[in-house]
């Protein structure tokens, strides 16, 4: 985990880039709570910030429910919003108010698959961000090649040998030199990789 601890609980600082109402942050909080329960450990304290161009998302983010452990009095999860534009030249860490451990990107690359945006993502991974987790709609993301030219390590989480062929819908970007395990056989998939209708074998 990242930065400081309280009662042995690490603080994990996560930004959702183009995060809007923060649903991905909520899902992450619930997932980490579930995972911690299964492992018999306390979940990390979470500093969750949605960085988005549109400030009207803020009240929706602040209305998100706390994880169950917080409702039970454990505390430890905060949701915040900050206005940020990936194309404006402002460092995401400055917008977020400090260092970041993890970034989430969900269905945003359609708006920013260009070289300056690739440089922003690569710079985050050079600044202490351990990984950027991406979920996108399109099966081929040109951002993959762009960040690889910056030395970023890319892991594709969906089966690349299915009927869909190349499938960039779920990705991990990691700092240069990172050794990532292959998803094949190493990760239990919650959902099978269902190809697009036009890619299904008849």
């Amino acid at each position: 985990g990242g930065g400081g601890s309280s009662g042995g609980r690490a603080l994990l600082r996560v930004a959702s880039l183009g995060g809007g109402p923060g649903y991905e942050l909520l899902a992450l909080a619930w997932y980490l709570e579930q995972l911690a329960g299964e492992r018999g450990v306390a979940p990390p304290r979470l500093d969750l910030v949605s960085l988005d161009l549109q400030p009207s998302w803020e009240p929706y983010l602040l209305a998100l429910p706390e994880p169950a452990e917080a409702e039970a009095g454990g505390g430890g999860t905060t949701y915040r919003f900050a206005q940020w534009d990936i194309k404006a030249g402002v460092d995401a860490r400055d917008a977020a108010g400090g260092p970041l451990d993890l970034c989430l990107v969900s269905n945003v690359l359609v708006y920013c698959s260009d070289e300056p945006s690739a440089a922003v993502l690569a710079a985050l991974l050079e600044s202490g961000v351990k990984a950027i987790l991406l979920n996108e709609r399109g099966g081929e993301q040109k951002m993959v090649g762009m960040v690889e030219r910056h030395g970023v390590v890319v892991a594709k989480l969906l089966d690349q040998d299915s009927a869909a062929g190349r499938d960039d819908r779920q990705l991990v970007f990691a700092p240069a030199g990172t050794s990532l395990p292959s998803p094949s056989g190493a990760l239990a998939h919650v959902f099978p990789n269902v190809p697009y209708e036009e890619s299904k074998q008849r």
Side-chain angles (χ1 to χ4, degrees):
S5 64
S6 175
R9 296 173 62 201
L11 173 64
L12 185 64
R13 298 160 297 204
V14 183
S16 183
L17 309 181
Y23 297 146
E24 291 79 17
L25 296 171
L26 175 64
L28 177 69
W30 282 350
Y31 170 74
L32 292 175
E33 181 184 36
Q34 177 75 21
L35 184 65
E38 292 174 1
R39 294 183 175 180
V41 298
R45 294 178 298 127
L46 299 173
D47 178 21
L48 306 174
V49 57
S50 176
L51 301 180
D52 199 282
L53 184 62
Q54 178 51 258
S56 62
W57 286 122
E58 183 171 13
Y60 299 96
L61 175 84
L62 298 180
L64 291 178
E66 291 283 331
E69 64 90 18
E71 293 173 356
T77 297
T78 59
Y79 291 103
R80 299 184 293 112
F81 181 91
Q83 191 171 13
W84 182 69
D85 180 356
I86 193 171
K87 298 177 183 294
V90 176
D91 192 305
R93 295 167 300 160
D94 291 337
L100 296 169
D101 300 304
L102 176 69
C103 291
L104 310 177
V105 175
S106 183
N107 300 315
V108 171
L109 292 186
V110 64
Y111 306 110
C112 58
S113 281
D114 52 36
E115 289 294 347
S117 299
V120 168
L121 298 179
L124 281 170
L125 293 167
E126 294 169 359
S127 72
V129 172
K130 308 298 187 297
I132 301 173
L133 307 182
L134 301 98
N135 180 73
E136 294 294 329
R137 295 185 184 96
E140 293 191 18
Q141 298 295 327
K142 64 181 182 177
M143 181 61 79
V144 169
M146 292 178 181
V147 296
E148 285 179 332
R149 288 192 288 276
H150 285 270
V152 170
V153 174
V154 176
K156 299 182 179 186
L157 300 182
L158 293 176
D159 183 7
Q160 301 298 301
D161 297 321
S162 71
R166 175 178 170 177
D167 198 334
D168 299 344
R169 287 178 291 167
Q170 293 184 348
L171 304 164
V172 176
F173 292 171
T178 302
S179 178
L180 295 175
S182 169
S184 300
L187 299 176
H189 296 287
V190 177
F191 301 105
N193 183 12
V194 179
Y196 294 103
E197 189 64 31
E198 60 270 20
S199 299
K200 291 181 179 178
Q201 294 178 341
R202 305 277 180 215

